[in-house]
Amino acid sequence: MVEQAKEHFEVYATYLTRKPPLNDSRTFQVDKTNQQSIMALFQELKPEVAIDTAALHNVDYCETHREEAWKVNVEGTKTVAEACKRHDARMIFVSTDYVFDGVKGDYTEDDDANPVNYYGLTKLEGERAVARICSKYLIARPSVIYSYVASTRLESSSGKPLNFTMWLTQKLRNNEPVKIVTDQYSSPTLADDLAEVLLKLANSERIGTYHTAGRTRLSRYEFAVKIARKLNFDEKLITPTTTDQLKQVAKRPMDSSLSVEKIEKDLALRAPTIDEALDRFSQQFFEVEIR
Ligand SMILES: NC(=O)c1ccc[n+]([C@@H]2O[C@H](COP(=O)([O-])OP(=O)(O)OC[C@H]3O[C@@H](n4cnc5c(N)ncnc54)[C@H](OP(=O)(O)O)[C@@H]3O)[C@@H](O)[C@H]2O)c1
């Protein structure tokens, strides 16, 4: 996102432990739970727009580390919102499709949130804090974010693989069989597409909540098979399973797919289909792998 943002903005990036590979000094190490350092950073940079993507995002880890999850996803988000308010900055908070219970699917921004796990609950509380504290706020809800990047460290500090597609391609490359659920549905979102939409929102005067996902609803199994085919891996390594059999620690919403009608209408754009996005994903993959 930083590279895309540079075309329109003077950009400063932050990280916690995984320093982004940027070739300049505009990168700051900051912990969003540290109120003093967040306030000091805002005082120094005085941003016009702050895009908050930082979260404890490992769903199973959040379920068993509730205090830590609340501290980052709720308290930390409140701190960023307060800093935005103090400096009259526009805040874009990246939330999640996991604020929904997954009963209905194809959720619009008017549907009621009702998270089924602790991660979803903390992100929803984060959303509420942002809306309460900031007047110039945007809440962006993507779903299953993916990308292919060159990275030496594939796990975040809460032990989550960099993303589902990085995890999957690593397994398939090593000829390791994987079991993927056929009964969890979502709207996978290519990170570059999300970045583009977030920057359009940043450039707009819009306020409120937007679903910023890919246009196609599909099961995690269908998604995995499409990736294997696109990248010429052996799709027989992917075995279908069900949520009941997988026994994940935290409960999952079964269909958290998102309607993108509102963002398409308000920003006059068209969200990419899964096949369009996977074309770009495979380009990223082959560029990184051929290098
Ligand atoms: N991944 C998905 O499928 C998905 C779907 C919907 C929404 N989201 C949301 O999208 C956003 C981006 O998540 P991501 O999963 O794509 O991966 P990501 O950008 O790698 O994850 C979030 C980042 O937050 C950082 N972080 C954790 N605790 C922090 C703290 N106390 N202060 C500052 N930074 C902290 C992590 O740093 P370390 O790497 O050092 O741990 C990690 O780099 C999150 O807000 C997430 O809730 C993700």
Side-chain angles (χ1 to χ4, degrees):
M1 173 153 68
V2 172
E3 291 304 327
Q4 281 157 283
K6 273 179 178 168
E7 290 169 25
H8 307 279
F9 298 95
E10 187 179 327
V11 186
Y12 298 90
T14 67
Y15 67 98
L16 183 63
T17 59
R18 290 180 298 182
K19 192 174 191 298
L22 297 172
N23 300 325
D24 55 39
S25 55
R26 297 189 209 177
T27 324
F28 297 84
Q29 197 270 338
V30 73
D31 182 341
K32 80 189 268 195
T33 66
N34 185 331
Q35 220 171 341
Q36 251 187 336
S37 45
I38 292 285
M39 289 301 173
L41 187 65
F42 270 72
Q43 183 61 35
E44 184 182 342
L45 301 180
K46 297 192 172 51
E48 283 171 48
V49 180
I51 302 181
D52 181 5
T53 67
L56 211 67
H57 58 160
N58 182 333
V59 178
D60 290 335
Y61 183 92
C62 288
E63 204 65 22
T64 51
H65 297 75
R66 294 186 172 212
E67 242 178 76
E68 199 182 333
W70 187 271
K71 202 173 160 203
V72 178
N73 296 349
V74 184
E75 297 301 331
T77 302
K78 262 189 210 168
T79 299
V80 177
E82 272 153 12
C84 284
K85 184 182 178 186
R86 186 178 293 180
H87 293 277
D88 197 30
R90 198 167 168 66
M91 175 163 180
I92 304 181
F93 174 59
V94 178
S95 186
T96 173
D97 53 336
Y98 273 26
V99 297
F100 293 113
D101 58 20
V103 173
K104 165 185 170 286
D106 197 30
Y107 288 99
T108 72
E109 291 79 350
D110 291 331
D111 284 320
D112 288 337
N114 181 33
V116 295
N117 54 45
Y118 200 71
Y119 164 74
L121 177 78
T122 58
K123 293 294 287 188
L124 178 60
E125 286 302 319
E127 286 190 3
R128 288 177 175 153
V130 169
R132 200 172 52 241
I133 296 167
C134 294
S135 50
K136 295 196 292 187
Y137 80 91
L138 280 158
I139 289 159
R141 293 182 183 143
S143 166
V144 186
I145 303 170
Y146 67 101
S147 62
Y148 200 86
V149 291
S151 174
T152 48
R153 195 183 136 202
L154 293 177
E155 285 190 347
S156 74
S157 46
S158 58
K160 185 180 170 178
L162 195 55
N163 65 56
F164 174 72
T165 53
M166 297 286 292
W167 170 83
L168 179 71
T169 51
Q170 206 183 23
K171 295 279 180 192
L172 298 179
R173 181 189 292 110
N174 297 336
N175 277 322
E176 288 181 48
V178 290
K179 288 184 179 174
I180 309 286
V181 286
T182 53
D183 55 357
Q184 289 178 28
Y185 286 80
S186 60
S187 308
T189 312
L190 185 69
D192 286 339
D193 294 336
L194 175 60
E196 209 172 292
V197 171
L198 293 180
L199 295 174
K200 280 190 177 149
L201 282 171
N203 265 323
S204 78
E205 294 298 313
R206 301 279 174 187
I207 282 170
T209 301
Y210 282 94
H211 291 174
T212 52
R215 132 187 310 271
T216 310
R217 166 190 180 272
L218 73 176
S219 76
R220 196 60 78 101
Y221 175 77
E222 291 165 329
F223 185 39
V225 169
K226 268 185 180 290
I227 290 163
R229 286 185 189 155
K230 195 87 205 165
L231 304 182
N232 305 321
F233 287 123
D234 181 4
E235 68 183 81
K236 290 194 207 73
L237 289 166
I238 306 171
T239 311
T241 188
T242 61
T243 302
D244 274 354
Q245 287 169 340
L246 197 62
K247 300 202 183 322
Q248 288 159 302
V249 175
K251 193 174 174 194
R252 299 300 202 271
M254 299 309 288
D255 185 347
S256 57
S257 56
L258 301 174
S259 160
V260 288
E261 250 178 62
K262 181 182 172 191
I263 191 104
E264 289 191 328
K265 187 166 165 280
D266 285 6
L267 292 189
L269 55 81
R270 190 179 150 281
T273 64
I274 191 70
D275 291 323
E276 289 164 347
L278 282 179
D279 279 346
R280 286 198 303 285
F281 172 78
S282 70
Q283 275 169 22
Q284 292 175 349
F285 176 85
F286 289 115
E287 270 166 29
V288 169
E289 291 308 312
I290 285 163
R291 229 186 274 157

